């Protein structure tokens, strides 16, 4: 794991590393009734530059929801490395065949059987406005020792690095 970033650019770079490592996330939209609705999604482009890309069906609930309210949250958890990222942003839906070709991965045929020719296939682009991450270097044993020390001393454990980033 990295040490504490010294600049906003370093923090954005750390968010990119954490997103790239996790790849699977929870996309949260606002339902038509105002409830928050989350579902797992697979990130299609790990070169995070402030935009996240997902394939979806144009008639899916998530796409209908973001058409009404484009504010979303995308949360990543990398439990192997004890790191978490929460990205708040705005989403838009639209299909660009050339961009879809660059993002396509053969495993997507599981959900989209006709590949890029699947009827109703679209892309969701989430543009990040801000992110917050928690990075707990040291691994499971170090974290467990920190929790044990906290329980014995009554002092909170050192949770690792937490940083907010704007894009």
């Amino acid at each position: 794991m990295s040490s504490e970033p010294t600049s906003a650019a370093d923090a954005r770079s750390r968010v990119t590393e954490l997103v790239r490592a996790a790849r699977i996330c929870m996309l949260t939209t606002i339902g038509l009734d105002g409830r928050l609705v989350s579902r797992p999604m697979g990130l299609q482009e790990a070169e995070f530059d402030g935009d996240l890309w997902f394939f979806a069906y144009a008639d899916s609930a998530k796409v209908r929801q973001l058409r009404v309210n484009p504010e979303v949250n995308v949360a990543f958890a990398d439990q192997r490395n004890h790191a978490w990222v929460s990205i708040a942003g705005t989403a838009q839906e639209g299909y660009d065949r050339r961009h879809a070709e660059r993002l396509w991965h053969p495993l997507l045929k599981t959900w989209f059987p006709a590949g890029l020719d699947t009827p109703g296939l679209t892309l969701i682009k989430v543009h990040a406005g801000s992110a917050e991450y928690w990075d707990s270097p040291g691994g499971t044993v170090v974290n467990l020792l920190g929790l044990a020390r906290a329980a014995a001393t009554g002092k909170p454990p050192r949770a690792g690095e937490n940083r907010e980033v704007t894009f």
Side-chain angles (χ1 to χ4, degrees), residues 53-80:
W53 292 91
F54 306 95
F55 281 94
Y57 282 101
D59 65 350
S60 65
K62 66 184 145 286
V63 171
R64 288 192 306 273
Q65 292 162 358
L66 67 86
R67 285 178 186 151
V68 173
N69 188 337
E71 298 300 316
V72 298
N73 186 271
V74 184
F76 294 87
D78 183 359
Q79 294 183 359
R80 222 175 357 158

Side-chain angles (χ1 to χ4, degrees), residues 8-167:
D10 290 340
R12 282 190 295 274
S13 177
R14 186 64 185 139
V15 168
T16 299
E17 290 173 26
L18 296 172
V19 165
R20 195 177 294 151
R23 298 293 304 245
I24 303 297
C25 63
M26 293 295 285
L27 171 66
T28 302
T29 56
I30 300 171
L32 301 178
D33 61 358
R35 289 180 308 117
L36 297 175
V37 182
S38 300
R39 79 276 294 151
M41 299 287 287
L43 180 64
Q44 297 312 310
E45 188 170 73
E47 293 300 322
F48 178 61
D49 61 358
D51 293 332
L52 302 168
W53 292 91
F54 306 95
F55 281 94
Y57 282 101
D59 65 350
S60 65
K62 66 184 145 286
V63 171
R64 288 192 306 273
Q65 292 162 358
L66 67 86
R67 285 178 186 151
V68 173
N69 188 337
E71 298 300 316
V72 298
N73 186 271
V74 184
F76 294 87
D78 183 359
Q79 294 183 359
R80 222 175 357 158
N81 295 308
H82 305 283
W84 300 265
V85 180
S86 176
I87 297 173
T90 54
Q92 64 185 61
E93 174 262 336
Y95 190 71
D96 174 335
R97 175 72 183 217
R98 288 179 55 194
H99 196 75
E101 287 171 354
R102 287 197 309 270
L103 297 173
W104 186 259
H105 188 280
L107 286 176
L108 289 166
K109 281 194 111 177
T110 302
W111 293 275
F112 309 104
L116 292 170
D117 295 318
T118 299
L121 182 66
T122 193
L123 289 170
I124 297 173
K125 173 181 152 184
V126 175
H127 181 70
S130 64
E132 185 167 2
Y133 69 89
W134 299 263
D135 191 4
S136 184
T140 303
V141 173
V142 171
N143 288 320
L144 289 174
L145 289 173
L147 290 173
R149 186 177 318 125
T153 64
K155 296 179 183 176
R158 182 177 179 276
E161 180 182 337
N162 172 235
R163 185 92 186 253
E164 291 184 37
V165 183
T166 55
F167 287 87

